[in-house]
Amino acid sequence: MKNTPSSLLLIIIFFGFTLHSCQDKMENENVAGKRGIIVPKVDSLKYSEKYCCILLPEHGFSVYDSPKGKIIGTIKRLGNIKEDDQVPYKIYFVTENKKVKIDHYREIGYEIFAINYTDSAKGFVKVLDSSKNYWLSVAEIEKHGFKTINWRDQMIAQSTDALGYYANEPGLRLRKEPNSESEIMGSVRGDLFEIKLTKNISGQWCKVKVKKYKEHPCNTELEETENIESQTEGWLKIIDDNGEPNLWNYTKGC
């Protein structure tokens, strides 16, 4: 049977739509994996005195001027905890000529902080000041018993233990499918909407379970069953277009 012009047009449109859909999925996945943190491979070691409290191995990490470039310094701790009990809360960028105190890290638990990265390329991750070229080798990170993990996977990994996640202001739209064109099922805003993540993901999106409370669980005398106003499931875009989390949680608990 010969293809008519109209059938050829339909075929072209179909393949064009399929290609565009695949490109969107790849772009969403790339964005989701763009930024994250550096943590011990064994999760429980986050709480060990050896790595406390800004998570870093004893000898630190070498800092490169570019992916596969040259070493220009080290990220490490300095000082003796017997003389200064704040040593675990301080890390420095150390070169031959100077040392600079670093403030580029994120709190991920009670008094637990992790160095965050803002880009990745050729087996390296970009750290510290995002406007400058400071890179760490992923191979070296892993050699020292650490790993890189993007924000999406980190949030999912700790979702079971977290008190709950909440949408950044001004809130998020809960959708039926993992895309911005899908049907809106409702909005999630403020800390009365507790978000639990599942392992069902699609790029920047995650299927979630949402509980709407009458009163915040940390400030109520109501039993949980009578405090729940509603429960629903749907998809939230938990990673923004810069690769940063669209959610927050109480790292210190109630």
Side-chain angles (χ1 to χ4, degrees):
M1 184 174 113
K2 294 183 178 180
N3 290 323
T4 64
S6 59
S7 63
L8 287 173
L9 179 60
L10 287 173
I11 292 171
I12 292 171
I13 292 172
F14 172 78
F15 280 108
F17 175 81
T18 302
L19 179 60
H20 180 71
S21 178
C22 289
Q23 288 174 335
D24 283 348
K25 288 181 179 179
M26 288 178 63
E27 183 177 346
N28 287 339
E29 194 63 39
N30 288 336
V31 170
K34 184 177 181 181
R35 299 187 178 205
I37 55 177
I38 299 169
V39 294
K41 290 180 181 178
V42 179
D43 188 63
S44 61
L45 291 180
K46 289 189 301 188
Y47 308 101
S48 71
E49 290 186 10
K50 181 179 180 180
Y51 297 139
C52 178
C53 289
I54 302 173
L55 300 172
L56 196 67
E58 183 178 358
H59 299 292
F61 294 125
S62 302
V63 181
Y64 295 74
D65 63 355
S66 64
K68 298 186 182 299
K70 64 179 181 179
I71 295 175
I72 56 174
T74 308
I75 296 177
K76 63 190 303 184
R77 290 191 190 87
L78 295 174
N80 188 327
I81 193 170
K82 293 180 180 179
E83 299 173 359
D84 180 3
D85 62 4
Q86 293 302 299
V87 165
Y89 297 92
K90 300 174 185 177
I91 55 175
Y92 297 84
F93 173 48
V94 182
T95 67
E96 291 182 358
N97 303 316
K98 63 181 180 180
K99 63 176 183 179
V100 179
K101 189 170 177 292
I102 295 170
D103 297 315
H104 299 275
Y105 47 80
R106 305 284 185 88
E107 187 170 19
I108 61 169
Y110 187 75
E111 296 295 303
I112 301 295
F113 305 85
I115 297 172
N116 59 298
Y117 62 90
T118 57
D119 201 357
S120 58
K122 301 177 182 178
F124 284 73
V125 289
K126 192 175 187 181
V127 296
L128 310 185
D129 188 341
S130 60
S131 67
K132 298 179 181 179
N133 282 317
Y134 298 131
W135 297 81
L136 304 185
S137 163
V138 174
E140 181 184 343
I141 290 169
E142 293 180 347
K143 179 181 177 181
H144 289 303
F146 281 66
K147 66 179 180 180
T148 60
I149 183 169
N150 64 58
W151 283 116
R152 182 197 66 190
D153 293 348
Q154 165 67 12
M155 289 192 295
I156 290 172
Q158 70 175 23
S159 183
T160 303
D161 298 326
L163 179 64
Y165 287 106
Y166 307 92
N168 293 348
E169 291 296 337
L172 297 170
R173 289 174 173 173
L174 186 70
R175 295 187 181 269
K176 190 173 183 179
E177 300 294 338
N179 65 78
S180 298
E181 305 300 320
S182 178
E183 176 186 341
I184 297 173
M185 302 174 65
S187 60
V188 180
R189 180 178 182 178
D191 61 2
L192 291 181
F193 287 88
E194 181 186 273
I195 302 164
K196 287 291 186 180
L197 309 182
T198 72
K199 294 182 179 180
N200 197 352
I201 56 176
S202 179
Q204 296 160 255
W205 297 77
C206 180
K207 194 166 188 180
V208 302
K209 298 178 180 181
V210 180
K211 288 181 182 178
K212 168 68 186 309
Y213 289 106
K214 299 172 186 175
E215 300 176 3
H216 195 281
C218 290
N219 302 299
T220 185
E221 295 181 357
L222 297 173
E223 294 292 332
E224 182 176 4
T225 52
E226 63 177 322
N227 192 29
I228 296 173
E229 185 174 303
S230 63
Q231 298 186 73
T232 186
E233 294 185 14
W235 290 83
L236 285 180
K237 188 176 181 180
I238 66 170
I239 298 295
D240 69 19
D241 291 337
N242 292 318
E244 291 286 335
N246 268 332
L247 308 177
W248 63 274
N249 69 306
Y250 291 101
T251 56
K252 291 181 169 64
C254 286

